Amino acid sequence: MHLLSYRAGGSDTPRLGARTGDRVADLTALATTAGADLPGDLAALIRAGEPALATARALLAAAPADAWRPLAEVVLCAPLRPGKVVGIGLNYVEHVEESHRSLDTERELPDRPVLFDKPATAVTGPGGPILHNTDLTKQLDWECELAVVIGRTARRVPEADALRHVFGYSIVNDVSARDQRRSGQWFFSKGQDSYCPFGPVVVTADEIPDPQNLDLSLKVNGVTMQDSNTRHMLFGIARLIADISSGMTLEPGDVIATGSPSGVGAAQVPPQFLQPGDLVEATVERIGTLANPVVDARGYDPAGRGEGPRA
């Protein structure tokens, strides 16, 4: 299933939905009509586990034709508000090389995953603005990443069992203010509001049996800047879950942003950074495209920001 959150009809309340092609069905409405018990948002659905997922599948299988509406009639939100977003740095070999050259990171390949975090307040949804504040950064950069959505509590999970804890997959654009790294720390650089575009859907794990063989790419204003495949990860998803959960509990609805391939703006010759008016499109095979405009934060009205539902 391709699960999502959306707003429609001028409502500010996100709805739980599912997408097939260019159509969307309201899962909450289907459950109400059928007298079925189904959580009303994706975070709660994930926490409810396999029985809720089976109910959603059954509702969609039986949905009448008039239950579906055109995708163009709704406004997509971030699929959910994660409890935490764990970022992975330097997880593609070519990105390690370009980061050493352009960002003064270590030349050697890391021998274990490089971890950082992004707060939930950084999350914005499809179409939500990436806020560019020139008072804070002149080096706003992009990173297309496969996102892993955790479905079961993971604590000290062995690598062989790790993928059993995955609910599904999505896309994160790990936006970074390169000139806001402070004494080597990335939190403010990567954690500002809007620096975690997330979506457009969460594809359940059964539809992506091999997450280590997905094409991913990113365009800025229609020009391809990143183009790679998840098979080039230095540390695969199972290893990441095992490593993180060795000392940090991963909970249902948490997100792992699995790292960026090469092609970031800081590594261009000359360097190229995002500016107000740009459009950034991050694409991952079998999931879709996450598109976000860059806007001037100083004149931006936050009312109507494309946030996901509050957990």
Side-chain angles (χ1 to χ4, degrees):
M1 289 186 294
H2 290 220
L3 300 170
L4 50 81
S5 297
Y6 73 94
R7 296 186 178 101
S11 173
D12 290 332
T13 303
R15 307 285 294 181
L16 173 62
R19 187 186 75 187
T20 297
D22 60 356
R23 301 180 303 156
V24 175
D26 186 330
L27 276 167
T28 304
L30 289 173
T32 299
T33 300
D37 184 17
L38 191 74
D41 64 77
L42 184 51
L45 179 71
I46 294 170
R47 291 192 297 269
E50 184 56 40
L53 200 56
T55 297
R57 288 194 182 98
L59 290 169
L60 290 173
D66 62 2
W68 298 88
R69 64 193 302 173
L71 181 63
E73 292 183 0
V74 306
V75 176
L76 296 184
C77 309
L80 70 149
R81 182 180 172 89
K84 53 182 170 287
V85 179
V86 181
I88 310 298
L90 305 175
N91 201 30
Y92 286 73
V93 174
E94 291 183 352
H95 183 53
V96 173
E97 187 281 328
E98 72 173 6
S99 293
H100 171 71
R101 172 170 43 85
S102 58
L103 298 170
D104 195 32
T105 57
E106 296 294 331
R107 179 189 298 274
E108 294 76 17
L109 297 179
D111 57 6
R112 57 184 177 176
V114 176
L115 309 179
F116 61 90
D117 63 344
K118 294 173 85 80
T121 48
V123 171
T124 190
I130 297 170
L131 301 177
H132 187 294
N133 187 339
T134 56
D135 294 334
L136 292 175
T137 182
K138 304 295 191 296
Q139 298 179 4
L140 194 63
D141 208 343
W142 58 81
E143 294 186 350
C144 176
E145 308 195 4
L146 175 67
V148 176
V149 180
I150 298 298
R152 298 171 51 199
T153 299
R155 184 182 298 111
R156 295 189 294 275
V157 173
E159 190 170 340
D161 294 334
L163 293 184
R164 296 175 55 244
H165 292 75
V166 175
F167 177 84
Y169 301 94
S170 189
I171 305 169
V172 158
N173 183 356
D174 177 18
V175 176
S176 309
R178 300 295 187 191
D179 45 0
Q180 281 289 347
R181 185 169 50 154
R182 299 180 178 184
S183 298
Q185 299 300 308
W186 288 98
F187 184 72
F188 195 70
S189 167
K190 290 176 174 286
Q192 295 182 46
D193 292 353
S194 81
Y195 280 20
C196 189
F198 173 41
V201 298
V202 174
V203 180
T204 51
D206 59 297
E207 294 203 12
I208 302 181
D210 184 6
Q212 299 297 165
N213 188 23
L214 298 172
D215 290 335
L216 70 168
S217 62
L218 182 140
K219 295 180 179 179
V220 178
N221 301 327
V223 178
T224 298
M225 308 303 292
Q226 295 185 286
D227 187 7
S228 189
N229 187 285
T230 57
R231 65 175 173 268
H232 299 305
M233 285 184 189
L234 184 59
F235 303 106
I237 292 163
R239 171 71 183 279
L240 295 176
I241 293 171
D243 183 77
I244 296 165
S245 71
S246 68
M248 178 188 303
T249 300
L250 290 169
E251 299 176 312
D254 286 348
V255 169
I256 302 172
T258 57
S260 170
S262 61
V264 299
Q268 305 298 313
V269 181
Q272 179 177 330
F273 297 109
L274 295 172
Q275 303 295 332
D278 288 344
L279 177 66
V280 188
E281 298 171 285
T283 299
V284 177
E285 182 183 1
R286 303 178 71 93
I287 298 172
T289 296
L290 173 64
N292 298 88
V294 181
V295 305
D296 189 335
R298 296 169 300 174
Y300 175 66
D301 179 0
R305 175 184 170 195
E307 292 181 304
R310 299 284 176 176

